[in-house]
Amino acid sequence: AARTAGRVSFDADALALTSQSNFSSCRANVAVYRGRWMYEATLGTAGIQQLGWATLSCPFTNEEGVGDAPDSYAFDGKRVKKWNVSCAPYGQPWVPGDVIGCCLDMEAAKITFFRNGVSLGVAFASVRRPPVAPGLAYFPAISLSHGERCEINFGARPMAFPVPGFLPLHQPPPKTLLLQSEYLLGCLARLVRLGRGTSTASNNDQAGETVGEAIRAGQRRSFSCDDVVLLAGAISSHLGPMLLEPYVVHASLIPALAELHRSALSSCAPLDEESPSSPVTALHELVSLLCNLLESHELESCFAGVFSGLARRHLSAYVVPPPPTATAAACA
């Protein structure tokens, strides 16, 4: 963050913020003055948080933050209000695990918020911008009351709920890198399947091991263990450096693992059967290949991303229907 007020603990890897004072605010180190932009905040808690956009002129104090000054705009799902100097009813109540999309359209002078991919409607329709206000630029900005926590994604990993027409503030890696990683992971997945396929196995094959389990006597295979390991080694030498990019782990590796598991579940024996078609065993073989063939630093980076990505996917919340239309209430 370029500027903070109050006490904030900051996890640089996850871009997670936790307020340790009465009211803390943070502003990012990048601003926009034209175009359509978004970022996401995943809620760790569901108390008072003001998420939105602010200019350099927005003062951060122990009592005021985003939305409490001109040219700053925020949404607070705890109080179900939008803030720009004054407040008004807006949106839905939020709960831990919600992903709040904060979208700024500088072309149309509008700000819209999303909850788990569902639009809460236009919050602000007259955002000041150039050329009406020359030199005005907006930063992602967040204010948190004591103990509140959220995790910010500017685009270093895929957006959980991308909004068509809006770009992340963090430029993703080249599309060619994603296509190459998806292709190589597809090759590994097919290799695992071929290694578990059908053809007469030699005596040497039967005496050896598959990737992850011993070959039972008389089992029919298309690839020997040696074949699988040699080919997987060649693939991993190209794939490993790509997995050092967290975006690739989230965009390519995690979906590949999930798809392998889903396809196995839909086409093979129950999970508790010890058979060559067990989806748990098939997935285990692919993970075993990666564990044995990636360099240690590649493996550490890769699975740190996998574990954090899977943890995020298991944060969930009920969709709360929007409250009935009501007259504006006094701000709390």
Side-chain angles (χ1 to χ4, degrees), residues 5-30:
R7 294 177 56 202
V8 179
S9 68
F10 180 64
D11 181 345
D13 292 332
L15 283 185
L17 308 172
T18 303
S19 174
Q20 297 179 331
S21 60
N22 180 53
F23 199 60
S24 304
S25 298
C26 296
R27 184 175 61 227
N29 58 5
V30 63

Side-chain angles (χ1 to χ4, degrees), residues 67-244:
D68 295 323
D71 300 325
S72 69
Y73 306 87
F75 165 53
D76 175 6
K78 170 66 174 178
R79 292 173 285 188
V80 199
K81 297 182 186 295
K82 59 182 180 180
W83 299 79
N84 173 230
V85 182
S86 60
C87 66
Y90 174 80
Q92 302 173 357
W94 59 27
V95 297
D98 276 354
V99 179
I100 305 301
C102 305
C103 297
L104 170 62
D105 186 343
M106 291 293 283
E107 307 304 316
K110 294 179 180 179
I111 292 177
T112 304
F113 295 94
F114 289 74
R115 177 175 178 243
N116 301 327
V118 178
S119 174
L120 300 178
V122 175
F124 305 101
S126 301
V127 176
R128 289 213 314 150
R129 54 177 178 148
V132 175
L136 203 62
Y138 287 91
F139 296 78
I142 295 170
S143 296
L144 311 170
S145 61
H146 183 266
E148 295 303 310
R149 182 181 187 277
C150 67
E151 186 174 307
I152 307 302
N153 180 19
F154 293 126
R157 60 181 183 272
M159 292 290 175
F161 302 99
V163 178
F166 288 83
L167 296 175
L169 292 160
H170 188 290
Q171 184 176 359
K175 189 174 182 179
T176 53
L177 179 63
L178 298 178
L179 292 174
Q180 290 169 359
S181 64
E182 290 169 3
Y183 174 76
L184 292 173
L185 285 164
C187 289
L188 275 180
R190 289 191 293 274
L191 185 59
V192 167
R193 293 188 181 100
L194 287 172
R196 307 174 65 79
T198 57
S199 70
T200 303
S202 67
N203 292 333
N204 288 337
D205 287 338
Q206 294 175 27
E209 289 186 345
T210 63
V211 181
E213 66 175 345
I215 299 178
R216 289 190 290 272
Q219 187 175 344
R220 299 168 70 84
R221 312 286 294 179
S222 57
F223 276 16
S224 70
C225 176
D226 289 343
D227 294 331
V228 171
V229 171
L230 287 172
L231 289 170
I235 295 171
S236 297
S237 66
H238 296 282
L239 178 63
M242 299 179 185
L243 295 178
L244 292 173

Side-chain angles (χ1 to χ4, degrees), residues 287-303:
V287 172
S288 295
L289 284 173
L290 295 174
C291 289
N292 285 286
L293 296 173
L294 293 179
E295 298 289 341
S296 59
H297 66 288
E298 296 169 346
L299 189 63
E300 180 179 357
S301 174
C302 166
F303 281 100

